[in-house]
Amino acid sequence: MKRRTIAARSNWESIVASQGLTYHHVAGRPYWNETSFYEFSAREIDNLEEATNQLHQMCLAAVQRVIDEDLFARLRISAPAATLVRRTWEAEPPAIYGRFDLAYDGAQIKLLEYNADTPTALVEAAVVQWYWMKDNFPGCDQFNSIHERLIAKWKELLSYCGTPLYFAGVDDAAHEDLMTLTYLADTAQQAGHRVTLLDMAEIGYDHDSYHFVAPTREPIRSIFKLYPWEWMVAEEFA
Amino acid sequence: MKRSRTVVLSLLSATALGLTGCESRKELKTCVDPDNVVQDDDKCRDVDRRYPYGGSYYHWIYGGSSRDGTYVSGRSRMFGGSNAPDAGVETATPSEAAAHGGSISEGHVSYHGFGASAHGGESGHAGEGGHGTGHGGAGE
């Protein structure tokens, strides 16, 4: 792994914003920095992928242990939420994506965090760096296929998901979550789903039919939410 | 063999252009105290009624972000933004912007049962990303 320096594209802010990275600055400082990049060998990438897959399996094993040994209280997961966790674990609904934060020095790989609930940094990893690479090194490869794999996964789920497929979250001034949701919805749409974006507050509950409903009062059959479970289980609809 | 072949976007590009272009938009306003800690919107609405020319304890911040990862008594602190909205831009609180005309309760259907935690509640950020500044983000 080599760290290289490079000149930023002259109009990089407008470029990345048009690609969905509207939050290229945070608190007045650049969040997106394209004055350096990392160059990997194929073997290094293979090692990272293998480690990531192993870590995912280890995280699943950890959840299995929590369930088997009823360790929910130690994780501050309430009894009603634990019931839902068990039920979901048995039903195995599809998982779309998660984000591993790894420390890597070219040899050792260390897990810093696994965010499998509300991961962002997706637009950056799947879209913006790809276009950056095409502008600077059109013959190179970015060594990830997040975009293609998301579309492939959504295609797998065409018969599983209800229509429309909803994407819900909250927006704020930086629009990071909105752009992440919109990107995911874009990939689902390309896979053939009819998609609808919602704010979390727009989700309704029909007390007669016991359904969560859209603003149109249509029952929500399938939804992707970019909103923490620990918030949801503490709110009114919980 | 190349791993990533092509990234073609339509919905994302259109949304991004809508947000960064010259189309009409609403600027989010957030009620804060003098330390920029997010407060219930009603506190600022009361101030608007009593002190229409501003200068009070509670006030609105226009734009800005709650993503600096700072929390005071369970509430997020706003970062950036300004004390006045951009010229010619409509303003709305996050909950107003979220409502899109929906009401709190219509017949036997209730809305707004989710989302409160993100709007001046315990925190202000749902997604956890690469900023290193967000709630529970990579920078923790």
Side-chain angles (χ1 to χ4, degrees), chain A residues 17-20 23 26-27 31 45-46 49 99 101 113 115 118-120 126-127 130-131 139-145 147-148 170 172-173 175-177 179 182-183 186 190 199-208 213-215 217 226-227 231 235-237, chain B residues 1-13 15-17 19-20 28 63-67 79 94-95 97-100 106-119 122-133 135-138 140:
Chain A
S18 71
Q19 293 160 357
Y23 42 97
V26 173
Y31 156 60
I45 293 298
D46 289 342
E49 283 190 349
R99 190 197 70 235
D101 295 338
E113 180 188 12
N115 189 332
T118 56
T120 53
V127 180
W130 188 84
Y131 281 110
C140 290
D141 191 354
Q142 77 165 353
F143 283 139
N144 86 53
S145 49
H147 185 74
E148 291 86 347
V170 288
D172 75 0
H175 305 304
E176 181 181 13
D177 292 357
M179 299 314 294
T182 305
Y183 171 64
D186 196 325
Q190 290 188 48
D199 189 282
M200 290 298 294
E202 291 182 297
I203 297 172
Y205 185 71
D206 187 323
H207 299 275
D208 292 333
V213 296
R217 301 201 180 199
L226 190 64
Y227 195 77
W231 291 2
E235 292 182 339
E236 184 183 341
F237 279 173
Chain B
M1 187 180 80
K2 278 185 174 293
R3 299 187 184 216
S4 187
R5 293 180 296 279
T6 183
V7 178
V8 179
L9 302 161
S10 53
L11 196 59
L12 180 68
S13 301
T15 305
L17 289 172
L19 290 170
T20 57
L28 292 181
S65 173
S66 58
R67 292 162 193 251
F79 207 75
S95 57
H100 296 300
E106 299 175 352
H108 292 272
V109 179
S110 300
Y111 290 94
H112 294 213
F114 292 130
S117 302
H119 296 153
E122 291 187 351
S123 184
H125 179 31
E128 296 180 9
H131 279 166
T133 55
H135 162 59
E140 276 197 341

Side-chain angles (χ1 to χ4, degrees), chain A residues 212-238:
Chain A
F212 286 113
V213 296
T216 58
R217 301 201 180 199
E218 286 178 296
I220 295 174
R221 305 285 183 192
S222 300
I223 189 166
F224 177 95
K225 56 86 187 159
L226 190 64
Y227 195 77
W229 278 112
E230 64 265 32
W231 291 2
M232 289 185 73
V233 298
E235 292 182 339
E236 184 183 341
F237 279 173

Side-chain angles (χ1 to χ4, degrees), chain A residues 49-204:
Chain A
E49 283 190 349
E50 185 182 344
T52 303
N53 288 330
Q54 282 185 21
L55 285 165
H56 178 66
Q57 292 305 319
M58 292 169 76
C59 289
L60 294 180
V63 175
Q64 186 67 63
R65 184 171 171 190
V66 169
I67 291 171
D68 291 345
E69 300 181 18
D70 196 12
L71 302 174
F72 292 100
R74 284 178 61 181
L75 297 173
R76 302 279 184 96
I77 296 173
S78 66
T83 302
L84 290 175
V85 171
R86 289 181 189 278
R87 193 183 303 167
T88 305
W89 189 253
E90 293 302 319
E92 291 196 72
I96 304 300
Y97 79 113
R99 190 197 70 235
F100 281 99
D101 295 338
L102 305 175
Y104 182 53
D105 63 0
Q108 296 296 309
I109 300 167
K110 181 178 180 181
L111 171 63
L112 301 178
E113 180 188 12
Y114 184 23
N115 189 332
D117 186 17
T118 56
T120 53
L122 183 63
V123 174
E124 298 91 309
V127 180
V128 181
Q129 72 174 13
W130 188 84
Y131 281 110
W132 170 88
M133 182 202 68
K134 295 292 285 182
D135 283 347
N136 287 290
F137 306 102
C140 290
D141 191 354
Q142 77 165 353
F143 283 139
N144 86 53
S145 49
I146 296 171
H147 185 74
E148 291 86 347
R149 289 189 186 199
L150 281 172
I151 293 173
K153 186 66 181 179
W154 290 123
K155 280 182 179 171
E156 272 181 42
L157 301 177
L158 273 170
S159 59
Y160 178 91
C161 293
T163 298
L165 174 57
Y166 293 95
F167 291 80
V170 288
D171 191 18
D172 75 0
H175 305 304
E176 181 181 13
D177 292 357
L178 172 64
M179 299 314 294
T180 303
L181 274 179
T182 305
Y183 171 64
L184 270 179
D186 196 325
T187 58
Q189 185 172 266
Q190 290 188 48
H193 291 271
R194 186 159 67 86
V195 300
T196 298
L197 272 77
L198 294 177
D199 189 282
M200 290 298 294
E202 291 182 297
I203 297 172

